[in-house]
Amino acid sequence: LGVRCYSEGDFRGAFKHYEKAAELGNVDAHYHLSLLYLMGEGVEKDEEKRAYHLEEAAIGGHPEARYHLAAIEQQNGREVERRVKHLIIGANLGYSQSIQALKTCYKDGLVSKADFATALRGHQAAVDATKSPQREAGEKALAQF
């Protein structure tokens, strides 16, 4: 319901639904709440609440939340290790933007060759784990429309 409210421009309604889902432990809801607090849609902008909901989503295994936490670490000038750790976890969850950011970190000398290689293998394993004949058939069917 939160997604539907959001797509219809009812940001306050989206907030209410996401808030309830987050209280029940839904990590996607925590992630969406972080975006609402970032943009100030349906709520006042609030960086602390944004960070809280990103952390909750990340702890629950949301790969995009890890990527955004890494960005916050960079913006705030915090330890490179924390940023890289978020990116590695995101990559291991199969999030492509995390692996791209790690590639940049590797080129900049912020990540060792061994750590980057391990993250690449973890990313590929996560991507491979989502592949199935049923999923491929579904993607083919959708492509025909």
Side-chain angles (χ1 to χ4, degrees):
L1 291 174
V3 173
R4 184 180 340 163
C5 287
Y6 186 87
S7 68
E8 294 171 354
D10 178 10
F11 303 127
R12 192 77 193 131
F15 174 77
K16 288 179 183 177
H17 289 293
Y18 288 141
E19 190 173 47
K20 183 65 176 170
E23 287 172 8
L24 297 172
N26 184 297
V27 296
D28 287 326
H30 278 291
Y31 177 72
H32 286 287
L33 283 170
S34 76
L35 297 177
L36 292 176
Y37 281 114
L38 170 67
M39 303 303 292
E41 296 175 326
V43 294
E44 286 193 33
K45 288 184 179 185
D46 188 322
E47 282 298 315
E48 278 187 35
K49 289 180 181 178
R50 173 191 179 213
Y52 167 78
H53 287 290
L54 275 177
E55 289 170 3
E56 290 297 311
I59 289 167
H62 198 286
E64 285 181 73
R66 287 286 177 180
Y67 177 81
H68 287 282
L69 283 173
I72 289 173
E73 296 292 344
Q74 182 179 11
Q75 289 167 357
N76 292 338
R78 293 196 187 126
E79 297 176 35
V80 171
E81 292 84 21
R82 288 179 62 164
R83 174 181 165 211
V84 168
K85 185 176 180 179
H86 285 302
L87 292 173
I88 288 172
I89 293 169
N92 287 334
L93 292 170
Y95 193 59
S96 295
Q97 285 182 301
S98 287
I99 204 71
Q100 292 305 316
L102 276 172
K103 184 189 298 184
T104 301
C105 290
Y106 173 68
K107 288 178 184 176
D108 293 343
L110 303 174
V111 176
S112 71
K113 185 175 183 177
D115 286 344
F116 184 58
T118 300
L120 278 172
R121 285 191 297 275
H123 178 263
Q124 190 59 52
V127 170
D128 289 345
T130 64
K131 293 182 180 176
S132 71
Q134 295 85 358
R135 184 177 297 239
E136 289 173 15
E139 287 172 358
K140 267 187 186 175
L142 283 174
Q144 292 176 355
F145 287 102

